Amino acid sequence: MLNFLLMFISFEGIDGCGKSTQIKILSEYLISLGNKVLTIREPGGNDLSEAIRKILLSSKNVIDPITELLLFESARANLIQETIRPALDNGFIVLSDRFYDSTIAYQGYGRGINLDYITQINTIATNGLKPDLTFFLDVDIQTSKKRSNYRISDRIELSDDSFFENVIKGFHIIAVNEPERMIVINAKNDIKKTHNNILSILADKFPNIFLLS
Ligand code: TMP
């Protein structure tokens, strides 16, 4: 019998922390065990949200913080209704490259928008959907820059170091406030070690995920 689990796991961290790589390896592993897995990214993940992503990340656009916040939340609301909820209802494990913690960290701690407003609008956009577990892949700004050396920066990545210091601080504060949900992973380690750390947390919290089909 297939092992149907309702599980929604998000991955957070600054650029170059290795989220996409870890999601890919974890997804392949969970699928090999017989789980149905959907991987998505935020903003993006379906046609409409990918279109909003283009607007948000184009360095040609000048976007004020509130407009930026509302665009991220529109992309999120659409992605949840069109893609995430149906996948969870159909027994998929959903692995998301970013979710609402990014809004708290980037628009809240980074841009300085009132955190209560952000919490309220996150609740509206998500209709109460929360990740069962969130991995915060923690790297410092130097490591992030080194790993992203050869890529052209998008509009948000063009922000200065103090912005990213605040973003990292924001993620740490969320992890302190919600230690059961948000797990801090040292992502300066190599890919395999980070993957193994993620697996051992998952095995501890959700042993059923490893049941063979
Ligand atoms: P990515 O580069 O990890 O795909 O993410 C796109 C950028 O959008 C990244 O710089 C983080 C930023 N972002 C926010 O500022 N707020 C959000 O709510 C989300 C989901 C992403």
Side-chain angles (χ1 to χ4, degrees), residues 73-110:
E73 298 290 0
S74 304
R76 176 165 304 134
N78 176 259
L79 181 68
I80 290 168
Q81 287 179 43
E82 301 289 322
T83 309
I84 298 179
R85 276 282 185 207
L88 290 171
D89 291 345
N90 281 295
F92 280 78
I93 296 172
V94 178
L95 304 180
S96 184
D97 189 333
R98 300 192 181 282
F99 198 57
Y100 60 56
D101 297 301
S102 276
T103 316
I104 299 169
Y106 281 78
Q107 280 63 53
Y109 287 91

PDB file of all heavy atoms in Angstrom, residues 73-110:
ATOM      1  N   GLU A  73       2.258  38.206  -1.988  1.00  0.00           N
ATOM      2  CA  GLU A  73       1.098  37.556  -1.382  1.00  0.00           C
ATOM      3  C   GLU A  73       0.083  37.110  -2.443  1.00  0.00           C
ATOM      4  O   GLU A  73      -0.566  36.070  -2.284  1.00  0.00           O
ATOM      5  CB  GLU A  73       0.431  38.486  -0.363  1.00  0.00           C
ATOM      6  CG  GLU A  73       1.329  38.865   0.815  1.00  0.00           C
ATOM      7  CD  GLU A  73       1.626  37.717   1.790  1.00  0.00           C
ATOM      8  OE1 GLU A  73       1.153  36.580   1.590  1.00  0.00           O
ATOM      9  OE2 GLU A  73       2.351  37.977   2.778  1.00  0.00           O
ATOM     10  N   SER A  74      -0.042  37.878  -3.528  1.00  0.00           N
ATOM     11  CA  SER A  74      -0.950  37.462  -4.613  1.00  0.00           C
ATOM     12  C   SER A  74      -0.447  36.173  -5.235  1.00  0.00           C
ATOM     13  O   SER A  74      -1.226  35.244  -5.486  1.00  0.00           O
ATOM     14  CB  SER A  74      -1.000  38.512  -5.727  1.00  0.00           C
ATOM     15  OG  SER A  74      -1.364  39.737  -5.217  1.00  0.00           O
ATOM     16  N   ALA A  75       0.854  36.119  -5.485  1.00  0.00           N
ATOM     17  CA  ALA A  75       1.429  34.907  -6.077  1.00  0.00           C
ATOM     18  C   ALA A  75       1.185  33.719  -5.152  1.00  0.00           C
ATOM     19  O   ALA A  75       0.839  32.619  -5.584  1.00  0.00           O
ATOM     20  CB  ALA A  75       2.937  35.104  -6.313  1.00  0.00           C
ATOM     21  N   ARG A  76       1.328  33.964  -3.848  1.00  0.00           N
ATOM     22  CA  ARG A  76       1.155  32.885  -2.853  1.00  0.00           C
ATOM     23  C   ARG A  76      -0.305  32.416  -2.815  1.00  0.00           C
ATOM     24  O   ARG A  76      -0.563  31.201  -2.822  1.00  0.00           O
ATOM     25  CB  ARG A  76       1.588  33.411  -1.480  1.00  0.00           C
ATOM     26  CG  ARG A  76       1.382  32.426  -0.339  1.00  0.00           C
ATOM     27  CD  ARG A  76       2.159  32.881   0.892  1.00  0.00           C
ATOM     28  NE  ARG A  76       3.547  33.034   0.544  1.00  0.00           N
ATOM     29  CZ  ARG A  76       4.298  34.082   0.885  1.00  0.00           C
ATOM     30  NH1 ARG A  76       3.808  35.040   1.633  1.00  0.00           N
ATOM     31  NH2 ARG A  76       5.551  34.149   0.504  1.00  0.00           N
ATOM     32  N   ALA A  77      -1.233  33.358  -2.761  1.00  0.00           N
ATOM     33  CA  ALA A  77      -2.653  32.987  -2.670  1.00  0.00           C
ATOM     34  C   ALA A  77      -3.033  32.120  -3.864  1.00  0.00           C
ATOM     35  O   ALA A  77      -3.700  31.082  -3.723  1.00  0.00           O
ATOM     36  CB  ALA A  77      -3.513  34.246  -2.628  1.00  0.00           C
ATOM     37  N   ASN A  78      -2.589  32.531  -5.036  1.00  0.00           N
ATOM     38  CA  ASN A  78      -2.914  31.781  -6.247  1.00  0.00           C
ATOM     39  C   ASN A  78      -2.276  30.395  -6.227  1.00  0.00           C
ATOM     40  O   ASN A  78      -2.921  29.387  -6.532  1.00  0.00           O
ATOM     41  CB  ASN A  78      -2.427  32.576  -7.471  1.00  0.00           C
ATOM     42  CG  ASN A  78      -2.643  31.799  -8.740  1.00  0.00           C
ATOM     43  OD1 ASN A  78      -1.721  31.202  -9.270  1.00  0.00           O
ATOM     44  ND2 ASN A  78      -3.869  31.765  -9.212  1.00  0.00           N
ATOM     45  N   LEU A  79      -1.011  30.342  -5.828  1.00  0.00           N
ATOM     46  CA  LEU A  79      -0.303  29.058  -5.810  1.00  0.00           C
ATOM     47  C   LEU A  79      -0.963  28.067  -4.843  1.00  0.00           C
ATOM     48  O   LEU A  79      -1.091  26.874  -5.141  1.00  0.00           O
ATOM     49  CB  LEU A  79       1.167  29.287  -5.413  1.00  0.00           C
ATOM     50  CG  LEU A  79       2.047  28.049  -5.377  1.00  0.00           C
ATOM     51  CD1 LEU A  79       2.252  27.489  -6.783  1.00  0.00           C
ATOM     52  CD2 LEU A  79       3.401  28.364  -4.746  1.00  0.00           C
ATOM     53  N   ILE A  80      -1.405  28.564  -3.699  1.00  0.00           N
ATOM     54  CA  ILE A  80      -2.041  27.674  -2.722  1.00  0.00           C
ATOM     55  C   ILE A  80      -3.351  27.124  -3.280  1.00  0.00           C
ATOM     56  O   ILE A  80      -3.602  25.915  -3.258  1.00  0.00           O
ATOM     57  CB  ILE A  80      -2.265  28.414  -1.385  1.00  0.00           C
ATOM     58  CG1 ILE A  80      -0.921  28.668  -0.718  1.00  0.00           C
ATOM     59  CG2 ILE A  80      -3.173  27.599  -0.460  1.00  0.00           C
ATOM     60  CD1 ILE A  80      -0.969  29.616   0.450  1.00  0.00           C
ATOM     61  N   GLN A  81      -4.171  28.053  -3.804  1.00  0.00           N
ATOM     62  CA  GLN A  81      -5.490  27.604  -4.287  1.00  0.00           C
ATOM     63  C   GLN A  81      -5.389  26.673  -5.482  1.00  0.00           C
ATOM     64  O   GLN A  81      -6.085  25.675  -5.561  1.00  0.00           O
ATOM     65  CB  GLN A  81      -6.346  28.809  -4.664  1.00  0.00           C
ATOM     66  CG  GLN A  81      -6.834  29.564  -3.439  1.00  0.00           C
ATOM     67  CD  GLN A  81      -7.663  30.768  -3.841  1.00  0.00           C
ATOM     68  OE1 GLN A  81      -8.489  30.687  -4.729  1.00  0.00           O
ATOM     69  NE2 GLN A  81      -7.431  31.892  -3.184  1.00  0.00           N
ATOM     70  N   GLU A  82      -4.504  27.038  -6.407  1.00  0.00           N
ATOM     71  CA  GLU A  82      -4.453  26.288  -7.672  1.00  0.00           C
ATOM     72  C   GLU A  82      -3.595  25.025  -7.586  1.00  0.00           C
ATOM     73  O   GLU A  82      -3.818  24.075  -8.315  1.00  0.00           O
ATOM     74  CB  GLU A  82      -3.860  27.174  -8.791  1.00  0.00           C
ATOM     75  CG  GLU A  82      -4.625  28.448  -9.067  1.00  0.00           C
ATOM     76  CD  GLU A  82      -5.961  28.169  -9.740  1.00  0.00           C
ATOM     77  OE1 GLU A  82      -6.007  27.265 -10.579  1.00  0.00           O
ATOM     78  OE2 GLU A  82      -6.941  28.854  -9.391  1.00  0.00           O
ATOM     79  N   THR A  83      -2.582  25.056  -6.740  1.00  0.00           N
ATOM     80  CA  THR A  83      -1.570  23.992  -6.819  1.00  0.00           C
ATOM     81  C   THR A  83      -1.335  23.260  -5.492  1.00  0.00           C
ATOM     82  O   THR A  83      -1.395  22.033  -5.439  1.00  0.00           O
ATOM     83  CB  THR A  83      -0.228  24.592  -7.328  1.00  0.00           C
ATOM     84  OG1 THR A  83      -0.491  25.341  -8.522  1.00  0.00           O
ATOM     85  CG2 THR A  83       0.797  23.513  -7.609  1.00  0.00           C
ATOM     86  N   ILE A  84      -1.077  24.002  -4.408  1.00  0.00           N
ATOM     87  CA  ILE A  84      -0.648  23.329  -3.169  1.00  0.00           C
ATOM     88  C   ILE A  84      -1.795  22.551  -2.527  1.00  0.00           C
ATOM     89  O   ILE A  84      -1.661  21.357  -2.224  1.00  0.00           O
ATOM     90  CB  ILE A  84      -0.042  24.335  -2.152  1.00  0.00           C
ATOM     91  CG1 ILE A  84       1.209  24.996  -2.743  1.00  0.00           C
ATOM     92  CG2 ILE A  84       0.307  23.619  -0.841  1.00  0.00           C
ATOM     93  CD1 ILE A  84       1.873  26.017  -1.842  1.00  0.00           C
ATOM     94  N   ARG A  85      -2.948  23.224  -2.344  1.00  0.00           N
ATOM     95  CA  ARG A  85      -4.091  22.535  -1.707  1.00  0.00           C
ATOM     96  C   ARG A  85      -4.506  21.288  -2.474  1.00  0.00           C
ATOM     97  O   ARG A  85      -4.635  20.208  -1.876  1.00  0.00           O
ATOM     98  CB  ARG A  85      -5.281  23.487  -1.570  1.00  0.00           C
ATOM     99  CG  ARG A  85      -5.236  24.362  -0.341  1.00  0.00           C
ATOM    100  CD  ARG A  85      -5.661  23.607   0.911  1.00  0.00           C
ATOM    101  NE  ARG A  85      -5.710  24.511   2.046  1.00  0.00           N
ATOM    102  CZ  ARG A  85      -5.532  24.135   3.301  1.00  0.00           C
ATOM    103  NH1 ARG A  85      -5.283  22.868   3.605  1.00  0.00           N
ATOM    104  NH2 ARG A  85      -5.598  25.005   4.277  1.00  0.00           N
ATOM    105  N   PRO A  86      -4.697  21.407  -3.800  1.00  0.00           N
ATOM    106  CA  PRO A  86      -5.081  20.195  -4.539  1.00  0.00           C
ATOM    107  C   PRO A  86      -4.042  19.083  -4.402  1.00  0.00           C
ATOM    108  O   PRO A  86      -4.403  17.909  -4.284  1.00  0.00           O
ATOM    109  CB  PRO A  86      -5.178  20.678  -5.998  1.00  0.00           C
ATOM    110  CG  PRO A  86      -5.437  22.151  -5.892  1.00  0.00           C
ATOM    111  CD  PRO A  86      -4.731  22.606  -4.661  1.00  0.00           C
ATOM    112  N   ALA A  87      -2.770  19.430  -4.402  1.00  0.00           N
ATOM    113  CA  ALA A  87      -1.730  18.391  -4.280  1.00  0.00           C
ATOM    114  C   ALA A  87      -1.808  17.715  -2.910  1.00  0.00           C
ATOM    115  O   ALA A  87      -1.758  16.480  -2.807  1.00  0.00           O
ATOM    116  CB  ALA A  87      -0.341  19.002  -4.495  1.00  0.00           C
ATOM    117  N   LEU A  88      -1.951  18.509  -1.854  1.00  0.00           N
ATOM    118  CA  LEU A  88      -2.055  17.915  -0.511  1.00  0.00           C
ATOM    119  C   LEU A  88      -3.301  17.031  -0.423  1.00  0.00           C
ATOM    120  O   LEU A  88      -3.254  15.922   0.120  1.00  0.00           O
ATOM    121  CB  LEU A  88      -2.110  19.017   0.561  1.00  0.00           C
ATOM    122  CG  LEU A  88      -0.807  19.811   0.780  1.00  0.00           C
ATOM    123  CD1 LEU A  88      -1.048  21.009   1.702  1.00  0.00           C
ATOM    124  CD2 LEU A  88       0.293  18.922   1.353  1.00  0.00           C
ATOM    125  N   ASP A  89      -4.411  17.508  -1.002  1.00  0.00           N
ATOM    126  CA  ASP A  89      -5.652  16.715  -0.980  1.00  0.00           C
ATOM    127  C   ASP A  89      -5.503  15.400  -1.736  1.00  0.00           C
ATOM    128  O   ASP A  89      -6.238  14.457  -1.500  1.00  0.00           O
ATOM    129  CB  ASP A  89      -6.818  17.515  -1.580  1.00  0.00           C
ATOM    130  CG  ASP A  89      -7.222  18.674  -0.675  1.00  0.00           C
ATOM    131  OD1 ASP A  89      -6.799  18.674   0.503  1.00  0.00           O
ATOM    132  OD2 ASP A  89      -7.923  19.588  -1.140  1.00  0.00           O
ATOM    133  N   ASN A  90      -4.566  15.383  -2.694  1.00  0.00           N
ATOM    134  CA  ASN A  90      -4.356  14.161  -3.476  1.00  0.00           C
ATOM    135  C   ASN A  90      -3.194  13.319  -2.961  1.00  0.00           C
ATOM    136  O   ASN A  90      -2.672  12.464  -3.682  1.00  0.00           O
ATOM    137  CB  ASN A  90      -4.137  14.517  -4.945  1.00  0.00           C
ATOM    138  CG  ASN A  90      -5.462  14.815  -5.616  1.00  0.00           C
ATOM    139  OD1 ASN A  90      -6.318  13.937  -5.743  1.00  0.00           O
ATOM    140  ND2 ASN A  90      -5.675  16.065  -5.982  1.00  0.00           N
ATOM    141  N   GLY A  91      -2.775  13.584  -1.724  1.00  0.00           N
ATOM    142  CA  GLY A  91      -1.799  12.708  -1.083  1.00  0.00           C
ATOM    143  C   GLY A  91      -0.349  12.984  -1.422  1.00  0.00           C
ATOM    144  O   GLY A  91       0.529  12.162  -1.138  1.00  0.00           O
ATOM    145  N   PHE A  92      -0.075  14.162  -2.020  1.00  0.00           N
ATOM    146  CA  PHE A  92       1.320  14.492  -2.312  1.00  0.00           C
ATOM    147  C   PHE A  92       1.997  15.090  -1.073  1.00  0.00           C
ATOM    148  O   PHE A  92       1.362  15.807  -0.297  1.00  0.00           O
ATOM    149  CB  PHE A  92       1.419  15.539  -3.435  1.00  0.00           C
ATOM    150  CG  PHE A  92       1.252  14.963  -4.810  1.00  0.00           C
ATOM    151  CD1 PHE A  92      -0.013  14.656  -5.293  1.00  0.00           C
ATOM    152  CD2 PHE A  92       2.350  14.728  -5.621  1.00  0.00           C
ATOM    153  CE1 PHE A  92      -0.181  14.119  -6.553  1.00  0.00           C
ATOM    154  CE2 PHE A  92       2.199  14.187  -6.879  1.00  0.00           C
ATOM    155  CZ  PHE A  92       0.926  13.881  -7.355  1.00  0.00           C
ATOM    156  N   ILE A  93       3.283  14.790  -0.937  1.00  0.00           N
ATOM    157  CA  ILE A  93       4.123  15.566  -0.026  1.00  0.00           C
ATOM    158  C   ILE A  93       4.561  16.779  -0.840  1.00  0.00           C
ATOM    159  O   ILE A  93       5.045  16.633  -1.962  1.00  0.00           O
ATOM    160  CB  ILE A  93       5.369  14.763   0.408  1.00  0.00           C
ATOM    161  CG1 ILE A  93       4.954  13.537   1.216  1.00  0.00           C
ATOM    162  CG2 ILE A  93       6.323  15.640   1.212  1.00  0.00           C
ATOM    163  CD1 ILE A  93       6.118  12.589   1.513  1.00  0.00           C
ATOM    164  N   VAL A  94       4.335  17.986  -0.312  1.00  0.00           N
ATOM    165  CA  VAL A  94       4.711  19.191  -1.058  1.00  0.00           C
ATOM    166  C   VAL A  94       5.976  19.780  -0.445  1.00  0.00           C
ATOM    167  O   VAL A  94       6.036  20.037   0.758  1.00  0.00           O
ATOM    168  CB  VAL A  94       3.567  20.232  -1.051  1.00  0.00           C
ATOM    169  CG1 VAL A  94       4.000  21.503  -1.783  1.00  0.00           C
ATOM    170  CG2 VAL A  94       2.303  19.649  -1.696  1.00  0.00           C
ATOM    171  N   LEU A  95       6.998  19.946  -1.295  1.00  0.00           N
ATOM    172  CA  LEU A  95       8.250  20.576  -0.862  1.00  0.00           C
ATOM    173  C   LEU A  95       8.311  21.954  -1.519  1.00  0.00           C
ATOM    174  O   LEU A  95       8.323  22.055  -2.744  1.00  0.00           O
ATOM    175  CB  LEU A  95       9.461  19.753  -1.307  1.00  0.00           C
ATOM    176  CG  LEU A  95       9.515  18.284  -0.869  1.00  0.00           C
ATOM    177  CD1 LEU A  95      10.798  17.622  -1.397  1.00  0.00           C
ATOM    178  CD2 LEU A  95       9.429  18.148   0.651  1.00  0.00           C
ATOM    179  N   SER A  96       8.338  22.993  -0.711  1.00  0.00           N
ATOM    180  CA  SER A  96       8.290  24.349  -1.264  1.00  0.00           C
ATOM    181  C   SER A  96       9.588  25.101  -1.020  1.00  0.00           C
ATOM    182  O   SER A  96      10.069  25.191   0.117  1.00  0.00           O
ATOM    183  CB  SER A  96       7.115  25.113  -0.640  1.00  0.00           C
ATOM    184  OG  SER A  96       7.005  26.377  -1.233  1.00  0.00           O
ATOM    185  N   ASP A  97      10.133  25.621  -2.121  1.00  0.00           N
ATOM    186  CA  ASP A  97      11.326  26.465  -2.047  1.00  0.00           C
ATOM    187  C   ASP A  97      10.834  27.865  -1.676  1.00  0.00           C
ATOM    188  O   ASP A  97      10.389  28.609  -2.534  1.00  0.00           O
ATOM    189  CB  ASP A  97      11.986  26.453  -3.444  1.00  0.00           C
ATOM    190  CG  ASP A  97      13.349  27.115  -3.461  1.00  0.00           C
ATOM    191  OD1 ASP A  97      13.585  27.991  -2.620  1.00  0.00           O
ATOM    192  OD2 ASP A  97      14.153  26.764  -4.338  1.00  0.00           O
ATOM    193  N   ARG A  98      10.825  28.160  -0.386  1.00  0.00           N
ATOM    194  CA  ARG A  98      10.313  29.372   0.264  1.00  0.00           C
ATOM    195  C   ARG A  98       8.799  29.271   0.504  1.00  0.00           C
ATOM    196  O   ARG A  98       8.064  28.641  -0.242  1.00  0.00           O
ATOM    197  CB  ARG A  98      10.577  30.656  -0.538  1.00  0.00           C
ATOM    198  CG  ARG A  98      12.044  30.939  -0.784  1.00  0.00           C
ATOM    199  CD  ARG A  98      12.236  32.351  -1.319  1.00  0.00           C
ATOM    200  NE  ARG A  98      13.634  32.629  -1.581  1.00  0.00           N
ATOM    201  CZ  ARG A  98      14.533  32.933  -0.645  1.00  0.00           C
ATOM    202  NH1 ARG A  98      14.148  33.028   0.617  1.00  0.00           N
ATOM    203  NH2 ARG A  98      15.784  33.137  -0.955  1.00  0.00           N
ATOM    204  N   PHE A  99       8.362  29.976   1.556  1.00  0.00           N
ATOM    205  CA  PHE A  99       6.931  30.163   1.838  1.00  0.00           C
ATOM    206  C   PHE A  99       6.817  31.436   2.664  1.00  0.00           C
ATOM    207  O   PHE A  99       7.675  32.321   2.546  1.00  0.00           O
ATOM    208  CB  PHE A  99       6.353  28.917   2.532  1.00  0.00           C
ATOM    209  CG  PHE A  99       4.847  28.822   2.469  1.00  0.00           C
ATOM    210  CD1 PHE A  99       4.195  28.829   1.254  1.00  0.00           C
ATOM    211  CD2 PHE A  99       4.072  28.731   3.619  1.00  0.00           C
ATOM    212  CE1 PHE A  99       2.803  28.749   1.177  1.00  0.00           C
ATOM    213  CE2 PHE A  99       2.688  28.647   3.556  1.00  0.00           C
ATOM    214  CZ  PHE A  99       2.057  28.648   2.336  1.00  0.00           C
ATOM    215  N   TYR A 100       5.805  31.538   3.550  1.00  0.00           N
ATOM    216  CA  TYR A 100       5.552  32.861   4.143  1.00  0.00           C
ATOM    217  C   TYR A 100       6.663  33.372   5.061  1.00  0.00           C
ATOM    218  O   TYR A 100       6.740  34.563   5.331  1.00  0.00           O
ATOM    219  CB  TYR A 100       4.197  32.930   4.830  1.00  0.00           C
ATOM    220  CG  TYR A 100       3.929  31.974   5.979  1.00  0.00           C
ATOM    221  CD1 TYR A 100       4.740  31.901   7.102  1.00  0.00           C
ATOM    222  CD2 TYR A 100       2.794  31.161   5.945  1.00  0.00           C
ATOM    223  CE1 TYR A 100       4.462  31.047   8.149  1.00  0.00           C
ATOM    224  CE2 TYR A 100       2.497  30.298   6.979  1.00  0.00           C
ATOM    225  CZ  TYR A 100       3.341  30.240   8.085  1.00  0.00           C
ATOM    226  OH  TYR A 100       3.053  29.387   9.115  1.00  0.00           O
ATOM    227  N   ASP A 101       7.535  32.481   5.553  1.00  0.00           N
ATOM    228  CA  ASP A 101       8.645  32.977   6.388  1.00  0.00           C
ATOM    229  C   ASP A 101       9.543  33.922   5.600  1.00  0.00           C
ATOM    230  O   ASP A 101      10.149  34.833   6.178  1.00  0.00           O
ATOM    231  CB  ASP A 101       9.473  31.809   6.923  1.00  0.00           C
ATOM    232  CG  ASP A 101       8.649  30.916   7.821  1.00  0.00           C
ATOM    233  OD1 ASP A 101       8.122  31.407   8.834  1.00  0.00           O
ATOM    234  OD2 ASP A 101       8.499  29.721   7.500  1.00  0.00           O
ATOM    235  N   SER A 102       9.633  33.703   4.275  1.00  0.00           N
ATOM    236  CA  SER A 102      10.438  34.625   3.459  1.00  0.00           C
ATOM    237  C   SER A 102       9.848  36.028   3.508  1.00  0.00           C
ATOM    238  O   SER A 102      10.581  37.019   3.506  1.00  0.00           O
ATOM    239  CB  SER A 102      10.495  34.164   1.989  1.00  0.00           C
ATOM    240  OG  SER A 102      11.493  33.203   1.807  1.00  0.00           O
ATOM    241  N   THR A 103       8.527  36.117   3.547  1.00  0.00           N
ATOM    242  CA  THR A 103       7.899  37.446   3.588  1.00  0.00           C
ATOM    243  C   THR A 103       8.179  38.130   4.925  1.00  0.00           C
ATOM    244  O   THR A 103       8.444  39.328   4.984  1.00  0.00           O
ATOM    245  CB  THR A 103       6.376  37.322   3.354  1.00  0.00           C
ATOM    246  OG1 THR A 103       6.155  36.422   2.285  1.00  0.00           O
ATOM    247  CG2 THR A 103       5.774  38.677   3.018  1.00  0.00           C
ATOM    248  N   ILE A 104       8.127  37.320   6.007  1.00  0.00           N
ATOM    249  CA  ILE A 104       8.427  37.902   7.322  1.00  0.00           C
ATOM    250  C   ILE A 104       9.887  38.387   7.334  1.00  0.00           C
ATOM    251  O   ILE A 104      10.196  39.499   7.763  1.00  0.00           O
ATOM    252  CB  ILE A 104       8.188  36.861   8.442  1.00  0.00           C
ATOM    253  CG1 ILE A 104       6.722  36.425   8.446  1.00  0.00           C
ATOM    254  CG2 ILE A 104       8.593  37.424   9.809  1.00  0.00           C
ATOM    255  CD1 ILE A 104       6.426  35.213   9.337  1.00  0.00           C
ATOM    256  N   ALA A 105      10.796  37.534   6.802  1.00  0.00           N
ATOM    257  CA  ALA A 105      12.223  37.876   6.857  1.00  0.00           C
ATOM    258  C   ALA A 105      12.580  39.024   5.897  1.00  0.00           C
ATOM    259  O   ALA A 105      13.251  39.987   6.296  1.00  0.00           O
ATOM    260  CB  ALA A 105      13.058  36.630   6.545  1.00  0.00           C
ATOM    261  N   TYR A 106      12.125  38.925   4.628  1.00  0.00           N
ATOM    262  CA  TYR A 106      12.548  39.914   3.613  1.00  0.00           C
ATOM    263  C   TYR A 106      11.745  41.216   3.704  1.00  0.00           C
ATOM    264  O   TYR A 106      12.320  42.296   3.756  1.00  0.00           O
ATOM    265  CB  TYR A 106      12.412  39.336   2.194  1.00  0.00           C
ATOM    266  CG  TYR A 106      13.526  38.403   1.803  1.00  0.00           C
ATOM    267  CD1 TYR A 106      13.548  37.081   2.262  1.00  0.00           C
ATOM    268  CD2 TYR A 106      14.554  38.810   0.969  1.00  0.00           C
ATOM    269  CE1 TYR A 106      14.565  36.208   1.893  1.00  0.00           C
ATOM    270  CE2 TYR A 106      15.578  37.945   0.590  1.00  0.00           C
ATOM    271  CZ  TYR A 106      15.573  36.648   1.052  1.00  0.00           C
ATOM    272  OH  TYR A 106      16.585  35.784   0.695  1.00  0.00           O
ATOM    273  N   GLN A 107      10.392  41.091   3.682  1.00  0.00           N
ATOM    274  CA  GLN A 107       9.605  42.322   3.685  1.00  0.00           C
ATOM    275  C   GLN A 107       9.483  42.887   5.105  1.00  0.00           C
ATOM    276  O   GLN A 107       9.435  44.098   5.286  1.00  0.00           O
ATOM    277  CB  GLN A 107       8.198  42.069   3.096  1.00  0.00           C
ATOM    278  CG  GLN A 107       8.153  42.030   1.568  1.00  0.00           C
ATOM    279  CD  GLN A 107       8.969  40.907   0.942  1.00  0.00           C
ATOM    280  OE1 GLN A 107       8.804  39.747   1.301  1.00  0.00           O
ATOM    281  NE2 GLN A 107       9.876  41.246   0.039  1.00  0.00           N
ATOM    282  N   GLY A 108       9.445  41.994   6.117  1.00  0.00           N
ATOM    283  CA  GLY A 108       9.345  42.449   7.504  1.00  0.00           C
ATOM    284  C   GLY A 108      10.691  42.941   8.016  1.00  0.00           C
ATOM    285  O   GLY A 108      10.929  44.139   8.157  1.00  0.00           O
ATOM    286  N   TYR A 109      11.605  42.008   8.269  1.00  0.00           N
ATOM    287  CA  TYR A 109      12.894  42.395   8.860  1.00  0.00           C
ATOM    288  C   TYR A 109      13.785  43.121   7.852  1.00  0.00           C
ATOM    289  O   TYR A 109      14.539  44.021   8.218  1.00  0.00           O
ATOM    290  CB  TYR A 109      13.606  41.162   9.428  1.00  0.00           C
ATOM    291  CG  TYR A 109      12.932  40.677  10.692  1.00  0.00           C
ATOM    292  CD1 TYR A 109      11.921  39.718  10.641  1.00  0.00           C
ATOM    293  CD2 TYR A 109      13.266  41.214  11.937  1.00  0.00           C
ATOM    294  CE1 TYR A 109      11.269  39.295  11.783  1.00  0.00           C
ATOM    295  CE2 TYR A 109      12.626  40.798  13.090  1.00  0.00           C
ATOM    296  CZ  TYR A 109      11.631  39.843  13.011  1.00  0.00           C
ATOM    297  OH  TYR A 109      10.984  39.436  14.154  1.00  0.00           O
ATOM    298  N   GLY A 110      13.703  42.745   6.569  1.00  0.00           N
ATOM    299  CA  GLY A 110      14.555  43.393   5.561  1.00  0.00           C
ATOM    300  C   GLY A 110      14.058  44.785   5.185  1.00  0.00           C
ATOM    301  O   GLY A 110      14.771  45.778   5.349  1.00  0.00           O
TER     302      GLY A 110
END
